[in-house]
């Protein structure tokens, strides 16, 4: 498959819209576990990305530059913990596709592998800690396994998104071990992690754009 810079920008646009649509939902999830501002924080970061999409990136065709700029833009706009996490993901992913205006399945596999491993390294979290890694790590494990098996990135990524959804939903049954919500102890049970949820929404947004590319 081929995925162009235009489609990478379409993915980022889709994330902007998805986060805006789910802003209140994400904050509601966070009210049960933390400060209640996760949706607002994500919206601020992605609205900054929207400004770049509307202006600086209109004629940019280097996928690496777009991704790296997205990471830096998000970090500049968001001062909370989530800022450095997503920034690291986009910076690491962007380095894998620097100088390329058209991405192959192999390029996309490298992008998402670097993205998720970057987030995990920066956040120092593991599966079971009730964080975004509960979404991202299962997605990455499935992506690696399925891509190695089939050689089809599109097929592998769709299965990865399904694994990410299962991971997100599993956070309802986990005790928080990281951040402010870890102070809640048993009271954190029964509540889905907002970070795991927003991570899933981002994966789903990419899958939607990828599917539209395939069917166009």
């Amino acid at each position: 498959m081929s995925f162009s810079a235009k489609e990478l920008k379409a993915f980022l646009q889709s994330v902007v819209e998805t986060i805006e649509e789910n802003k209140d939902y994400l904050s509601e999830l966070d009210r049960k576990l933390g400060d209640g501002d996760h949706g607002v924080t994500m919206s601020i970061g992605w609205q900054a990305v929207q400004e770049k999409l509307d202006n600086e990136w209109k004629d940019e065709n280097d996928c690496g530059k777009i991704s790296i700029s997205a990471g830096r833009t998000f970090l500049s706009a968001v001062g909370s913990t989530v800022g450095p996490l997503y920034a690291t993901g986009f910076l690491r992913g962007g380095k894998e596709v620097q100088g390329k205006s058209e991405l192959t399945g192999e390029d996309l596999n490298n992008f998402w592998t670097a993205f998720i491993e970057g987030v995990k390294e920066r956040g120092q979290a593991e599966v079971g800690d009730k964080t975004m890694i509960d979404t991202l790590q299962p997605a990455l494990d499935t992506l690696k396994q399925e891509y190695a098996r089939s050689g089809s990135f599109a097929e592998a990524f769709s299965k990865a998104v399904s694994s990410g959804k299962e991971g997100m939903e599993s956070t309802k049954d986990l005790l928080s071990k990281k951040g402010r919500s870890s102070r809640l102890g048993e009271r954190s049970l029964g509540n889905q992690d907002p970070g795991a949820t927003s991570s899933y929404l981002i994966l789903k947004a990419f899958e939607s754009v990828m599917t539209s590319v395939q069917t166009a």
Side-chain angles (χ1 to χ4, degrees), residues 8-9 11-12 44-78 83 86-99 111 115:
L8 178 60
K9 286 183 272 189
F11 156 59
L12 296 174
I44 291 169
W46 284 99
Q47 286 302 311
V49 171
Q50 176 76 74
E51 190 174 334
K52 297 285 188 179
L53 284 166
D54 290 341
N55 298 289
E56 289 184 30
W57 301 343
K58 277 192 173 181
D59 299 318
E60 181 58 70
N61 291 309
D62 184 327
C63 291
K65 286 183 179 178
I66 294 167
S67 181
I68 289 168
S69 182
R72 289 174 176 162
T73 299
F74 192 87
L75 180 61
S76 294
V78 176
Y86 279 119
T88 301
F90 279 109
L91 290 168
R92 296 280 182 87
K95 288 177 182 177
E96 293 293 325
V97 295
Q98 276 185 310
F111 173 90
F115 183 104

Side-chain angles (χ1 to χ4, degrees), residues 167-201:
M168 171 191 72
E169 291 172 343
S170 77
T171 62
K172 295 175 186 175
D173 301 319
L174 296 173
L175 285 171
S176 294
K177 297 179 182 176
K178 291 279 185 178
R180 185 164 299 196
S181 60
S182 63
R183 303 173 191 170
L184 295 174
E186 295 285 340
R187 286 180 293 157
S188 66
L189 288 172
N191 296 307
Q192 186 167 293
D193 182 68
T197 306
S198 58
S199 292
Y200 169 73
L201 292 174

